[in-house]
Amino acid sequence: MIPPDHPRYRQLVVRERLARCAREGIVALEGLTAHGRAEAFDYLIGEKSTATAREAARVAAALLLLARHPVLSVNGNTAALAAAECARLQEVTGCGIEVNLFHRSEERVRRITRILEDVGASVLAGTPERLIPLQHDRALCLPGGIGSADLVLVPLEDGDRCEALRAMGRTVVTIDLNPLSRTARMATLTVVDELTRALPLITEAYRGMTRTEAEALVRGFDNHYLLQAAIAEIVRELSRALD
Amino acid sequence: MIPPDHPRYRQLVVRERLARCAREGIVALEGLTAHGRAEAFDYLIGEKSTATAREAARVAAALLLLARHPVLSVNGNTAALAAAECARLQEVTGCGIEVNLFHRSEERVRRITRILEDVGASVLAGTPERLIPLQHDRALCLPGGIGSADLVLVPLEDGDRCEALRAMGRTVVTIDLNPLSRTARMATLTVVDELTRALPLITEAYRGMTRTEAEALVRGFDNHYLLQAAIAEIVRELSRALD
């Protein structure tokens, strides 16, 4: 239905996929709004991985490489947008994958698990427990998954959980297009990039990295500096639209 | 359910209302994504009407005052977010109100009409015809409404229709939070502001305005300049986040 020569073809296809996933109950209605916010910020960075995003992705790979028990937390939007990229990250890094939802139901968990398994991912299963001090259902996680992870990679995170995980001493790596968001500022490391671009960048950086390189990257990074650089990139991009 | 002391209380309430309207078929699923984009841009202007937005709202009022047959085009998002503000604008300016939808069905038109009428608006009715050269259903409009309007006020517009209406010689006034969008650039006048703030600004400006003042405002405005000023405001807001 969408003509392939439409100037925003890819974006429209992705929107349609998300709307379909919402109708099927995989993506929450609130997830569609969240995707819109991400689209706007992606527009502002020129819809490409910036130099800062590439640098942050290398640090993310280093943190993953040095983690004892890293777990990727997947919600409806992440599965709808980037299931294959999640599976590939797991294949290369060996990280655990756990489904964690704000609007949780066993049916949604099952559907999202199926999407991930269909592209070859291995998804942690078991009985979730209320292991994170939060009022809502994102508190629920698996004792052998996020519950015992030293590093949680949470694309498209909400600020509350990010803060709670940090307070529990966890390393939180997030992928968030808004460098001003509470999540971005609370995380140990924020990759300011679009999910289907960021996950492969992390995977590829991991593949070529030695432990020594990883240790140097982890010693040297400063998330505040990376966020400032990401904001400066948006300012530069916007300024180009000024006469 | 949302605690009133939540830092983003108003935003969360609005999101819930839109999600409810989407479940009821009033808001299209694509409309939720569009709302997310608007939220992001609103965040970037500090969630308040900027000086440029206030200036543009005054010009919008002037264009309305001088129009022979102005019509406000309402879609699902506009009705869900700002039905009362639309009714108030009509009460003060006497503009026509027509429901115009991308994802059109008679049931949706009926529901949106009801929302508008419930807050006192008078909604144009009749048999729509394909009067705008577009492939999709936004081509459909009423001969006595948008079909013969000299000015169309289209909040939350899509770029295609804006371009088509301009090519037909119509004055197009849009309310769009993204000053870089095709709609923003194609319109006769763009108010870069959030809908529930922009509509009352236009209404209030109209109330106090004389014909002479309106003529001076319409002679003097430059949409390109206003958009550049809106971009500069975002750049300034973002730069404040830089150390």
Side-chain angles (χ1 to χ4, degrees):
Chain A
M1 187 175 146
I2 300 163
D5 60 345
H6 192 286
R8 310 209 66 71
Y9 177 73
R10 188 182 177 280
Q11 204 169 48
L12 294 175
V13 168
V14 170
R15 270 182 220 164
E16 278 209 345
R17 189 197 311 157
L18 277 173
R20 195 180 63 239
C21 286
R23 274 187 287 270
E24 292 170 2
I26 293 156
V27 164
L29 291 180
E30 290 76 3
L32 296 180
T33 319
H35 180 68
R37 289 194 296 279
E39 267 190 5
F41 281 102
D42 198 18
Y43 184 87
L44 289 174
I45 60 167
E47 290 166 348
K48 59 183 185 324
S49 301
T50 65
T52 309
R54 289 171 188 279
E55 191 179 337
R58 280 183 59 75
V59 180
L63 287 167
L64 275 165
L65 196 97
L66 300 176
R68 186 182 39 77
H69 179 29
V71 175
L72 168 61
S73 176
V74 174
N75 67 6
N77 279 37
T78 300
L81 293 170
E85 289 82 356
C86 289
R88 178 86 182 120
L89 180 78
Q90 181 180 54
E91 186 190 325
V92 169
T93 71
C95 68
I97 292 185
E98 179 172 335
V99 177
N100 181 276
L101 306 175
F102 190 93
H103 301 275
R104 189 183 182 102
S105 77
E106 284 321 300
E107 176 60 17
R108 279 194 74 212
V109 171
R110 199 159 47 240
R111 280 168 181 267
I112 291 165
T113 299
R114 198 178 316 136
I115 290 176
L116 290 162
E117 288 176 346
D118 281 351
V119 291
S122 166
V123 180
L124 292 162
T127 307
E129 296 175 21
R130 203 161 274 277
L131 298 173
I132 305 173
L134 289 171
Q135 295 304 313
H136 51 72
D137 282 353
R138 295 205 77 168
L140 290 167
C141 59
L142 297 171
I146 292 168
S148 55
D150 57 343
L151 180 151
V152 189
L153 173 57
V154 275
L156 319 178
E157 179 55 329
D158 65 88
D160 286 351
R161 191 169 69 136
C162 186
E163 190 169 354
L165 286 168
R166 290 286 285 138
M168 291 166 77
R170 309 305 173 85
T171 297
V172 178
V173 177
T174 190
I175 299 170
D176 189 329
L177 275 156
N178 176 1
L180 300 162
S181 77
R182 200 150 65 91
T183 300
R185 287 180 282 114
M186 294 297 304
T188 312
L189 172 73
T190 307
V191 183
V192 180
D193 203 0
E194 192 274 331
L195 204 52
T196 64
R197 295 195 306 262
L199 288 170
L201 282 177
I202 297 171
T203 304
E204 290 318 305
Y206 188 102
R207 275 160 56 92
M209 196 174 285
T210 65
R211 209 177 161 82
T212 312
E213 283 170 333
E215 282 163 352
L217 278 164
V218 166
R219 259 197 311 274
F221 90 97
D222 175 346
N223 201 43
H224 179 72
Y225 161 80
L226 288 168
L227 290 176
Q228 293 276 311
I231 296 166
E233 275 161 343
I234 296 178
V235 167
R236 264 201 305 280
E237 188 75 19
L238 275 170
S239 300
R240 287 207 282 152
L242 291 172
D243 282 350
Chain B
M1 188 175 147
I2 301 162
D5 61 344
H6 192 285
R8 309 208 66 67
Y9 177 73
R10 185 180 180 283
Q11 202 170 50
L12 294 175
V13 168
V14 171
R15 269 183 221 162
E16 278 208 346
R17 188 197 312 157
L18 278 173
R20 194 181 63 238
C21 286
R23 274 187 288 269
E24 292 170 1
I26 293 156
V27 164
L29 292 179
E30 290 76 2
L32 296 179
T33 319
H35 180 69
R37 289 194 296 281
E39 267 190 5
F41 281 103
D42 198 19
Y43 184 86
L44 289 175
I45 60 168
E47 290 165 349
K48 59 183 183 326
S49 301
T50 65
T52 309
R54 290 170 188 280
E55 191 179 338
R58 280 183 60 75
V59 180
L63 287 167
L64 274 166
L65 195 94
L66 300 175
R68 185 183 41 78
H69 179 30
V71 175
L72 168 61
S73 176
V74 173
N75 67 6
N77 280 37
T78 300
L81 292 169
E85 289 82 355
C86 291
R88 178 86 182 124
L89 180 78
Q90 182 179 53
E91 186 190 325
V92 170
T93 71
C95 68
I97 293 184
E98 179 172 336
V99 176
N100 181 276
L101 305 176
F102 190 95
H103 302 274
R104 190 185 181 100
S105 76
E106 285 320 300
E107 174 61 17
R108 279 194 74 212
V109 172
R110 200 161 44 241
R111 281 169 181 267
I112 291 165
T113 299
R114 198 179 314 137
I115 290 177
L116 290 162
E117 289 177 345
D118 281 352
V119 291
S122 166
V123 181
L124 292 162
T127 308
E129 296 175 20
R130 201 160 276 278
L131 298 174
I132 305 173
L134 289 171
Q135 296 303 311
H136 51 72
D137 282 353
R138 295 206 76 169
L140 290 168
C141 58
L142 297 172
I146 292 169
S148 56
D150 57 342
L151 180 150
V152 190
L153 173 57
V154 276
L156 319 178
E157 178 55 329
D158 65 89
D160 286 349
R161 192 169 70 133
C162 186
E163 190 167 354
L165 286 168
R166 290 287 284 140
M168 291 166 77
R170 310 304 173 86
T171 298
V172 178
V173 178
T174 189
I175 300 170
D176 189 328
L177 276 157
N178 177 0
L180 300 161
S181 77
R182 202 149 63 89
T183 300
R185 286 181 284 112
M186 293 297 304
T188 312
L189 173 72
T190 308
V191 183
V192 180
D193 203 1
E194 191 272 332
L195 205 51
T196 64
R197 295 194 308 260
L199 288 171
L201 282 178
I202 297 170
T203 304
E204 290 316 306
Y206 187 102
R207 276 160 57 92
M209 194 173 286
T210 66
R211 211 176 160 82
T212 313
E213 283 172 333
E215 282 164 352
L217 278 165
V218 165
R219 261 196 311 276
F221 91 95
D222 174 346
N223 201 44
H224 179 72
Y225 161 79
L226 288 169
L227 290 175
Q228 293 277 308
I231 296 166
E233 275 161 341
I234 297 177
V235 167
R236 264 201 305 281
E237 187 75 20
L238 274 169
S239 299
R240 287 206 282 153
L242 290 171
D243 282 352

